[in-house]
Amino acid sequence: MADVPDLDPAVSSRLRFDDAGLVAAIIQQHDTGEVLMLGWMDIEAVRRTLTEGRVTFWSRSRQVYWRKGDTSGHAQHVRSVAVDCDGDALLVRVEQVGAACHTGDRTCFDAGALDVVVGEVGR
Amino acid sequence: MADVPDLDPAVSSRLRFDDAGLVAAIIQQHDTGEVLMLGWMDIEAVRRTLTEGRVTFWSRSRQVYWRKGDTSGHAQHVRSVAVDCDGDALLVRVEQVGAACHTGDRTCFDAGALDVVVGEVGR
């Protein structure tokens, strides 16, 4: 649509979108360091996230833009965004209001612990 | 190959691999909370990561398994692994030896800050 501004080319040139036109976005609580969730963004979701102060994802299941918190109230207020060394992942640091997970958990990983063999440095 | 053990079905049933057979793996320093990098794992890389005490990825560009640190010395020793609410992302907490990024930076996001409009709660 002609009335939607483009993402700044200086930014888009640093991003490498996958075959579906998406980059992965890791969402982290800015002060505690909690990893809250992983979402996906297309170029327009990146533009909105960089310019609106709020995190917008592209929903792969529903094929719509999804501004976190608009229905749940659990908004993610943007503090910083960084792109990784190969351009296909973003680290978005936020102030999370309430639960990040749709289950009501603070993070999407809270209920998911797996059994592991713990590794020790020097072994 | 018949002599490679399978991933525990109780674990694999909780994972949802994408069309390429992969899940995203967020790697986080266990004590500081730094997000170090994002990598990809197929079912066998998950099995190795859960059972060897060291993080193994599947390299999408080289199409090989890649145990972090075997060539660089910058190993990732596993402290915990959790799967997210929809099964397509892992949070792997590690003790990172040295730099996580192949550029020599501590994290793959260190050089990637983008300009943002900061969001404030209540706006």
Side-chain angles (χ1 to χ4, degrees):
Chain A
M1 290 181 290
D3 58 348
V4 175
D6 289 335
L7 180 63
D8 181 345
V11 174
S12 58
S13 66
R14 297 173 68 178
L15 300 178
R16 201 177 65 184
F17 294 93
D18 69 11
D19 292 345
L22 303 174
V23 291
I26 302 164
I27 311 299
Q28 182 181 36
Q29 173 66 28
H30 70 98
D31 48 3
T32 64
E34 294 164 288
V35 174
L36 299 168
M37 56 180 290
L38 181 77
W40 298 89
M41 297 183 186
D42 69 357
I43 193 168
E44 170 62 10
V46 173
R47 187 192 67 77
R48 295 184 190 183
T49 298
L50 292 176
T51 59
E52 294 183 353
R54 288 272 303 277
V55 176
T56 291
F57 300 102
W58 175 254
S59 169
R60 297 182 300 173
S61 55
R62 294 181 288 131
Q63 295 280 300
V64 293
Y65 292 106
W66 161 50
R67 193 168 79 155
K68 180 77 178 173
D70 279 353
T71 55
S72 66
H74 296 162
Q76 294 171 338
H77 298 272
V78 175
R79 295 302 175 88
S80 67
V81 179
V83 56
D84 77 351
C85 56
D86 59 5
D88 63 358
L90 297 175
L91 177 60
V92 182
R93 295 170 65 94
V94 304
E95 174 68 29
Q96 170 72 53
V97 176
C101 191
H102 73 285
T103 63
D105 284 340
R106 173 69 177 170
T107 92
C108 290
F109 299 95
D110 286 359
L114 301 178
D115 289 336
V116 299
V117 173
V118 171
E120 299 294 342
V121 177
R123 275 203 314 197
Chain B
M1 289 181 292
D3 58 349
V4 175
D6 289 336
L7 181 64
D8 182 345
V11 175
S12 57
S13 66
R14 298 173 67 180
L15 301 177
R16 202 178 64 184
F17 294 94
D18 69 12
D19 292 344
L22 302 174
V23 291
I26 302 164
I27 311 299
Q28 181 181 37
Q29 173 66 27
H30 70 97
D31 47 4
T32 64
E34 293 164 288
V35 173
L36 299 168
M37 57 180 290
L38 181 77
W40 298 89
M41 296 182 187
D42 69 357
I43 194 168
E44 170 63 10
V46 173
R47 187 192 67 77
R48 294 184 190 184
T49 298
L50 292 175
T51 59
E52 293 183 354
R54 289 272 303 277
V55 176
T56 292
F57 300 102
W58 175 254
S59 170
R60 297 182 300 173
S61 55
R62 294 182 286 131
Q63 295 280 301
V64 293
Y65 292 106
W66 161 48
R67 193 169 78 156
K68 180 77 176 171
D70 279 352
T71 54
S72 66
H74 297 162
Q76 293 171 337
H77 298 271
V78 175
R79 294 302 175 88
S80 67
V81 180
V83 58
D84 76 351
C85 56
D86 59 7
D88 62 359
L90 297 175
L91 177 60
V92 183
R93 295 170 66 94
V94 304
E95 174 68 29
Q96 170 72 53
V97 177
C101 191
H102 73 285
T103 64
D105 284 341
R106 173 68 177 170
T107 92
C108 290
F109 300 95
D110 286 359
L114 301 178
D115 289 337
V116 299
V117 173
V118 170
E120 298 294 342
V121 177
R123 276 202 314 199

